[in-house]
Amino acid sequence: KKCPSIWLTCRNNGMLRMADEKIELYKPYTENKLQYPVGAQQKLDGVPVRWKNIGGHIVALSRQGEVFKSLGHMQEHVRPILLTVGGSITGELYIPGRPFKYISGMARRHETGTALVCHVFDFDIMATPSLSWAGRHQQFVGALAAYLGAAGIGPADCPIRLMPTVVCKDSTAVQSAWDVVRTANPNAEGMVLHSLSKPYQPGKRVWTTQKLKPEPTIDLRIVRIVEAISKDGEPLAMAGRLEAEFTGADGNTTEIGIGPGSLTHAERRALWLERDYIRSVGRIAEIKYMRDDSYSALRQPTFVRWRDDKVEPNQE
């Protein structure tokens, strides 16, 4: 039986209502599986949020279904846009120039973080999820414009903002859009591609929503294997985490944890049996990670493949 991620009390009728749908997920960019045309948007390195109208109450939910308590300054702007019960708006909480750790910390505080802005990238404000993304986009643009006009404020004065979108008809246009984004912002995390014909499917990972996200890699020496543990605390006799030697910008070398990434369960079990050999000799592996200068080590490092053709690591 499916368990709801969160239960919310609606004050108007005292009943409990469930809000267990999640925020949409992205498939990695795979050109031959993408349905054109697409709306291309810059991918912001922020915190996803989904605004929902539940029984007439506007609630902001995280990807995990938790209620954000730091977005009180946005409520008055969302309410006139999200009038339909069951409707929702999905966006990214972001502060330009701030690292993810800072944004995430502010978003999860109990007091209002007025610097946060919600950049909207998907919408179902009329609770008609079967409508295409292009159609839902048009509805949101109209509702936002109507609200701004009635309130007498400009787009820059509203913390609810539409992500700029470029329509791409093929892979060549996608590459051109990415070149423009990367030129304007060399530190851009990537792009998100929305098929204009896709319905609204929160919590699904489908080929009609893809992310183009170049990830850097480095070669590190794996020096330790840490056993995986079940939720009940039972050892699983398989690799749960790899540890690698990493030299930081300060010149100091430490051991950092690496996620198993592309390793299969069978490979992780075999790796656990080889743990003593790896501890004594070491083994070079290619590791991918996210660029983020606010991290002293690596952000979200995960295993890609073994580099047994190498005998020395390469962090360049």
Side-chain angles (χ1 to χ4, degrees):
K1 184 176 180 180
K2 184 177 181 182
C3 295
S5 60
I6 186 168
W7 292 85
L8 299 172
T9 301
C10 292
R11 299 174 185 171
N12 60 335
N13 57 14
M15 305 217 15
L16 289 172
R17 296 183 183 273
M18 187 172 66
D20 63 344
E21 296 134 329
K22 302 291 188 288
I23 295 170
E24 65 178 326
L25 304 171
Y26 306 141
K27 287 276 195 179
Y29 178 58
T30 307
E31 195 279 327
N32 62 354
K33 293 187 177 181
L34 193 59
Q35 295 179 15
Y36 290 99
V38 299
Q41 300 175 336
Q42 180 179 340
K43 188 178 188 304
L44 300 178
D45 191 15
V47 178
V49 60
R50 186 176 179 204
W51 297 90
K52 292 198 68 177
N53 183 324
I54 302 176
H57 296 274
I58 306 301
V59 182
L61 302 173
S62 72
R63 190 184 295 282
Q64 294 74 31
E66 301 167 343
V67 177
F68 284 113
K69 299 179 180 179
S70 58
L71 308 182
H73 65 298
M74 296 185 187
Q75 289 275 354
E76 62 182 281
H77 299 282
V78 175
R79 189 172 289 108
I81 301 172
L82 196 54
L83 297 174
T84 303
V85 172
S88 64
I89 298 171
T90 309
E92 197 87 6
L93 301 174
Y94 188 67
I95 305 173
R98 289 290 190 174
F100 172 79
K101 284 194 298 184
Y102 179 90
I103 298 170
S104 178
M106 179 170 286
R108 288 171 170 80
R109 290 176 185 171
H110 293 292
E111 67 270 13
T112 297
T114 55
L116 291 167
V117 172
C118 179
H119 296 264
V120 178
F121 58 80
D122 211 338
F123 4 69
D124 183 27
I125 63 173
M126 303 300 291
T128 52
S130 60
L131 188 65
S132 69
W133 188 86
R136 300 193 312 275
H137 182 278
Q138 186 175 11
Q139 287 182 343
F140 179 80
V141 169
L144 179 61
Y147 164 64
L148 294 176
I153 60 176
D157 299 317
C158 180
I160 307 299
R161 302 174 189 174
L162 181 64
M163 284 285 292
T165 303
V166 175
V167 175
C168 301
K169 297 182 178 180
D170 53 33
S171 59
T172 301
V174 167
Q175 185 58 54
S176 296
W178 171 234
D179 291 341
V180 171
V181 168
R182 188 169 48 186
T183 299
N185 180 10
N187 296 318
E189 186 184 1
M191 287 199 313
V192 176
L193 307 171
H194 304 273
S195 291
L196 299 190
S197 60
K198 73 174 183 177
Y200 190 58
Q201 300 181 84
K204 303 293 184 182
R205 196 183 297 275
V206 292
W207 289 111
T208 48
T209 305
Q210 297 185 17
K211 60 180 178 181
L212 192 163
K213 183 179 174 182
E215 296 175 306
T217 66
I218 59 175
D219 298 326
L220 299 179
R221 188 183 306 280
I222 305 300
V223 295
R224 197 180 312 279
I225 304 299
V226 179
E227 187 173 14
I229 304 296
S230 72
K231 293 182 179 179
D232 299 322
E234 296 295 324
L236 299 178
M238 63 187 295
R241 184 179 77 247
L242 291 67
E243 293 195 354
E245 291 179 339
F246 176 80
T247 303
D250 57 4
N252 294 324
T253 299
T254 58
E255 292 183 9
I256 63 172
I258 307 295
S262 62
L263 289 168
T264 66
H265 276 66
E267 290 170 332
R268 290 168 66 182
R269 284 191 288 269
L271 200 54
W272 178 243
L273 297 177
E274 299 173 10
R275 63 189 183 279
D276 291 336
Y277 171 80
I278 288 177
R279 185 170 61 244
S280 62
V281 178
R283 194 176 178 188
I284 307 299
E286 182 179 357
I287 309 300
K288 69 177 181 180
Y289 62 98
M290 289 183 61
R291 294 187 186 280
D292 194 327
D293 293 338
S294 68
Y295 282 68
S296 58
L298 301 177
R299 180 178 170 191
Q300 297 181 6
T302 55
F303 177 90
V304 176
R305 58 174 176 153
W306 292 112
R307 294 303 307 266
D308 292 329
D309 57 319
K310 293 190 172 184
V311 295
E312 295 295 334
N314 179 8
Q315 292 192 196
E316 297 300 325

